[in-house]
């Protein structure tokens, strides 16, 4: 499992820039960042190495933040890599709240991060099918 | 038909004063005997019923406020035995508690007369078809105008609010000549008529009595042009009876207050000292003929001025100009009274899901009042899932609707972005150009 930090931002000009500056000033190196947005607000989801430092920097600057544990798997960066994992979870009755992924081009691997409704069960299914779960990026 | 009750409406001022004096003396004696709150208030002010001999003595009497009504919730201010009360109405109060008003049979009849007089002010008579598009229910608008139309002998169409397409169908098919609703709803009907391809020549409205919310002369002109009628302002508040406390006459130059039944005063909004005609201040009413829940010097919180200059219509009753403000923070949204404190209590009741900081923005979009409430997300409620945040938003909107009775849009904003101010926070921005 990987720790993700989510941040509430209003969907307004300059808000993402302001948040990035806070992270930059705190010397934070981001591994991944994605945004789920609606007309009115966005939820920034980010992954960094030093979670405590990220949390402190954001909280000190008045942001609403929350820590979430995500399932993370590493699969071969080939067609069908994502599908294989999704099919296993779907057949197991697991619902996916959201996911995002990125490729590690040099390693020919792809990393997929999931938020699911039943994390323990999902973990079991993936393990029994020899899918490579990872605990750090 | 020029007047509904010429004797009362055109009474010379001297006879009117005598009538008011006689009614006030009886009223004070009556409430002193029947309403403990008034007995205590008068004792505290050192006034005995025998000190009140003429209408001029009214200044010796203590004021009544909405707080008094709330303290007596629900029936504490009633002066008649419960068995004589035949009707109640209610409006929203500051803490979610309603302000309840009780009427005896005679009160309902007097009120119907006020509404009948108002309808005649606007040119109605017994041949009229009166389309009542105010809400029917605890709100006084619908039933008030309905009874007025019946009292006049006109034909009442109890359309109530909503379902605008059907309202337009009724207006077209029945050829109603009088309409009663809020001014913003009148414009909404005009908009919908346009969309449905119904021209104003296909309806037969001659006049409208519009009230329950503040409006301007520009809005009057727009309503008149778009619906092809004469637009009259009608004023009232449930505490005093309901619509028909005061109404524009054909001169459209101030609303005549039916002074044989309601005695108006203007007082300084800070010192509460009485002010002469022509000066602006808080409007205060004494109900001269009520039995169920008479009120003495009730502070309306509405700011306006009065004039006793003779009116060309022949009515001798004083006129009030447009209400141009309030001395409290009450908002009137689509005719519904809303207090910011009601919104605050909804936010506080949500398991600290949002911070107790909020900001209300009211605007008028397509002639309809809209309200947006900004609330701050906090750590208790913030989730990484969009779904959960939208659920929170919808729950707050639902709870607000339950508490205040109108739809408000909730907007979630970042923590610490709503300005905190020392002392009294500025909770409301009203962008409506009225």
């Amino acid at each position: 499992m990987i720790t993700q930090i989510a941040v509430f931002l209003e969907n307004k000009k300059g808000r993402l820039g302001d948040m990035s500056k806070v992270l930059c000033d705190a010397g934070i190196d981001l591994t991944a960042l994605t945004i789920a947005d609606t007309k009115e607000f966005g939820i920034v989801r980010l992954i960094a190495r030093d979670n405590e430092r990220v949390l402190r920097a954001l909280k000190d600057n008045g942001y609403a933040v929350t820590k979430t544990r995500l399932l993370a798997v590493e699969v071969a960066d080939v067609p069908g890599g994502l599908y294989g994992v999704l099919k296993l979870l779907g057949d197991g009755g697991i619902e996916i709240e959201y996911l995002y992924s990125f490729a590690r081009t040099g390693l020919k691997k792809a990393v997929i991060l999931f938020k699911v409704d039943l994390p323990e069960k999902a973990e079991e299914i993936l393990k029994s099918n020899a899918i490579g779960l990872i605990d750090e990026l | 038909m020029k007047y509904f009750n010429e004797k009362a409406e055109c009474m010379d001022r001297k006879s009117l004063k005598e009538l008011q004096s006689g009614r006030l003396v009886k009223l004070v004696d009556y409430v002193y005997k029947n309403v403990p709150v008034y007995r205590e208030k008068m004792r505290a002010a050192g006034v005995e019923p025998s000190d009140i001999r003429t209408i001029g003595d009214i200044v010796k009497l203590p004021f009544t406020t909405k707080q008094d009504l709330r303290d007596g919730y629900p029936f504490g201010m009633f002066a008649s035995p419960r068995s004589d009360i035949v009707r109640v109405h209610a409006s929203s109060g500051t803490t979610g508690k309603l302000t309840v008003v009780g009427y005896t049979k005679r009160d309902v009849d007097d009120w119907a007369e006020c509404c009948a007089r108002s309808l005649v002010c606007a040119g109605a008579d017994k041949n009229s078809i009166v389309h009542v598009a105010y809400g029917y229910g605890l709100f006084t608008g619908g039933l008030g105008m309905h009874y007025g139309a019946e009292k006049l002998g006109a034909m009442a169409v109890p359309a109530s609010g909503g379902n605008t397409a059907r309202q337009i169908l009724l207006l077209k098919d029945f050829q109603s000549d009088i309409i009663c609703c809020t001014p913003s709803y009148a414009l909404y009907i005009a908009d919908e008529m346009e969309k449905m391809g119904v021209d104003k020549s296909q309806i037969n409205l001659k006049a409208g009595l519009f009230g329950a919310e503040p409006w301007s002369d520009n809005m009057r002109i727009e309503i008149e042009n778009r619906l092809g009628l004469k637009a009259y302002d009608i004023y009232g508040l449930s505490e005093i009876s309901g619509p028909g406390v005061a109404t524009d006459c054909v001169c459209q130059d101030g609303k005549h207050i039916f002074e044989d039944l309601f005695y108006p005063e203007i007082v300084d909004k800070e010192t509460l000292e009485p002010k002469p005609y022509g000066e602006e201040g808080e409007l205060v009413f004494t109900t001269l003929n009520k039995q169920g829940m008479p009120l003495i010097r009730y502070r309306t919180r509405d700011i306006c001025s009065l004039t006793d200059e003779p009116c060309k219509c022949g009515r001798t009753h004083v006129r009030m100009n447009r209400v141009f403000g309030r001395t409290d923070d009450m908002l009137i949204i689509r005719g519904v009274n809303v207090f910011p404190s009601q919104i605050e209590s909804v936010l506080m009741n949500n398991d600290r899901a949002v911070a107790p900081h909020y900001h209300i923005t009211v605007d008028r979009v397509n002639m309809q009042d809209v309200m947006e409430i900004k609330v701050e997300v906090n750590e208790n409620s913030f989730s990484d899932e969009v779904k959960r945040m939208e659920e929170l938003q919808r729950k707050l909107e639902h709870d607000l609707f339950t508490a205040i009775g109108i739809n408000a849009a909730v907007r979630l904003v970042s923590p610490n972005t709503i300005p905190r101010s020392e002392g009294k926070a500025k909770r409301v921005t009203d962008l409506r150009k009225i």
Side-chain angles (χ1 to χ4, degrees), chain A residues 4 6-10 15 36 38 40-41 43 45 59 62-66 68 97-98 115, chain B residues 372 374 377-379 382-390 393 410-417:
Chain A
Q4 165 196 268
V7 192
F8 179 86
L9 286 188
E10 280 168 63
R15 292 297 160 94
T38 71
E40 291 167 6
F41 63 85
I43 298 174
R45 297 163 182 154
K59 278 187 184 176
Y63 288 89
V65 291
T66 183
T68 319
E97 306 291 354
Y98 60 80
K115 169 94 183 257
Chain B
E372 182 189 79
K374 284 197 178 88
V377 165
N378 67 16
E379 306 248 316
F382 176 55
S383 160
D384 57 313
E385 290 176 38
V386 171
K387 191 170 74 184
R388 300 239 181 281
M389 299 310 287
E390 286 178 341
Q393 204 172 352
V410 167
R411 182 183 279 263
L412 302 173
V413 301
S414 301
N416 305 303
T417 51

Side-chain angles (χ1 to χ4, degrees), chain B residues 64-76:
Chain B
T64 311
T65 62
K66 205 173 180 92
Q67 182 66 41
D68 293 319
L69 271 55
R70 214 192 309 156
D71 291 345
Y73 178 86
F75 306 141

